[in-house]
Amino acid sequence: MSGVVDSVQAKAQEVAKEDYDRAKALINDAAKSGSYLYPIKGIFYFLSHRSLWKPLLQKLAPIVTLSVGVVTGMFFFTYVPQLALMTFVNGPLAVLTTAVLVLNESSAVISFLSRNFVMQDALLDTFDGTLVSRDATNLVSEGRELKSGRDPIQRLGKILKNPFQRFSPKALIRYVMYLPLNFIPVVGTVAFIILQGRSRGSTVHDRYFQLKRWSASQKVQWLSEHVGPYSAFGILATLLEMVPVASVFFSFTNAVGAALWAADIENKETEMTDGTAPGLREAAKKAE
């Protein structure tokens, strides 16, 4: 019997070491790439480039109306039922944790509805406009017509390729599946943010991959070799978009940050381009 116990303990230690080494490698990759800085860079770049405000300002009225309606409705219909459940888990803190949970849920609903039905084209314009402002016009011209001029947003013409789906139920289903983790104090919330961030990170460069004409296999290869950097970006982007009221603003700054990151990858100004990217570029050119 003791031999079986020892064997199980040894196996558990082996698995734990493997997971630790894998997590350490992912964190190191993320740290070297500096990807976690791009959501912050996106905020400052957006604020310092007034021309990039136009897509957000054009959608501001419907977004504010949607946000107020969703938050009000969520608190009216879901706060008390969830408070009753959270009281058993968090005790006196349930009043606060339930409010945070409802706000997180509201942010998810607002983000889902606005991204799919209100500001989809505005986010695309923001991403492309940021690339144009970084002189990546040859790249952007692969996905839309470009006009002459200095204003990067005004230069954006007819969209030739649109990478965004009009309705993406998987993201909402995944969010609902992971939501119960928030009932576990601290650890559950952290796990929820990490899972959401990793999922979010894998989609931030969909437009960039499309403009590069990468095949599905090339995208999978690139993402699998850079899980750490994309997870780090996704986690911070998720945290920012969970901020009540400001979530929509951060959706736009995150689009800017993703475009800045793409521009740096394109210019081989990140650690990530020392390895895989050149090979993928050559493969992409051969496929054209």
Side-chain angles (χ1 to χ4, degrees):
M1 184 67 178
S2 60
V4 175
V5 173
D6 291 341
S7 177
V8 171
Q9 289 179 340
K11 191 64 176 178
Q13 291 176 352
E14 179 183 346
V15 172
K17 185 177 184 304
E18 289 178 357
D19 289 344
Y20 172 78
D21 291 340
R22 187 179 298 111
K24 184 178 179 180
L26 291 177
I27 292 173
N28 287 337
D29 288 344
K32 290 179 180 179
S33 71
S35 62
Y36 57 91
L37 296 174
Y38 283 97
I40 305 302
K41 290 180 180 180
I43 296 173
F44 288 102
Y45 196 87
F46 182 81
L47 292 175
S48 62
H49 291 73
R50 295 178 64 90
S51 60
L52 297 178
W53 299 3
K54 294 176 183 177
L56 171 59
L57 294 177
Q58 290 172 354
K59 298 292 183 180
L60 197 57
I63 288 171
V64 170
T65 301
L66 173 66
S67 300
V68 172
V70 169
V71 172
T72 302
M74 290 292 289
F75 269 96
F76 184 80
F77 290 107
T78 71
Y79 180 78
V80 174
Q82 293 187 96
L83 176 62
L85 181 59
M86 292 291 281
T87 300
F88 290 102
V89 180
N90 295 333
L93 293 176
V95 175
L96 177 60
T97 56
T98 304
V100 173
L101 179 60
V102 173
L103 288 174
N104 289 343
E105 294 167 345
S106 300
S107 294
V109 173
I110 293 168
S111 177
F112 175 78
L113 293 176
S114 58
R115 280 180 175 274
N116 285 281
F117 303 107
V118 179
M119 61 184 193
Q120 186 182 59
D121 291 338
L123 288 172
L124 179 61
D125 287 347
T126 301
F127 187 92
D128 287 355
T130 302
L131 287 177
V132 171
S133 73
R134 286 288 305 272
D135 297 323
T137 53
N138 290 337
L139 184 65
V140 177
S141 63
E142 293 292 333
R144 71 191 307 161
E145 296 176 354
L146 289 177
K147 307 172 185 177
S148 59
R150 292 186 176 182
D151 188 309
I153 298 298
Q154 290 183 349
R155 292 193 63 187
L156 301 178
K158 179 181 178 182
I159 297 174
L160 305 177
K161 299 177 183 177
N162 193 330
F164 302 115
Q165 297 177 349
R166 284 290 172 186
F167 185 73
S168 179
K170 287 185 178 180
L172 185 61
I173 293 172
R174 186 177 290 110
Y175 182 91
V176 174
M177 289 175 58
Y178 294 157
L179 193 60
L181 288 171
N182 287 283
F183 290 109
I184 305 173
V186 185
V187 176
T189 302
V190 171
F192 172 80
I193 293 172
I194 291 175
L195 289 170
Q196 283 293 107
R198 182 166 181 174
S199 175
R200 172 67 191 283
S202 65
T203 65
V204 297
H205 275 166
D206 281 352
R207 177 61 166 176
Y208 175 56
F209 298 149
Q210 182 192 47
L211 295 175
K212 290 295 294 178
R213 299 186 181 183
W214 282 4
S215 66
S217 60
Q218 287 174 309
K219 290 187 291 185
V220 170
Q221 178 188 351
W222 174 259
L223 291 173
S224 66
E225 293 180 357
H226 299 94
V227 173
Y230 280 96
S231 296
F233 182 100
I235 289 171
L236 188 52
T238 298
L239 283 171
L240 290 172
E241 292 182 21
M242 287 173 66
V243 177
V245 182
S247 60
V248 171
F249 168 77
F250 287 127
S251 293
F252 281 86
T253 62
N254 285 334
V256 172
L260 293 176
W261 187 17
D264 285 346
I265 292 174
E266 189 67 11
N267 294 329
K268 300 182 181 180
E269 295 177 358
T270 71
E271 290 284 342
M272 296 167 63
T273 52
D274 291 338
T276 313
L280 285 177
R281 287 195 181 89
E282 292 177 4
K285 290 179 180 179
K286 292 179 181 179
E288 294 178 1

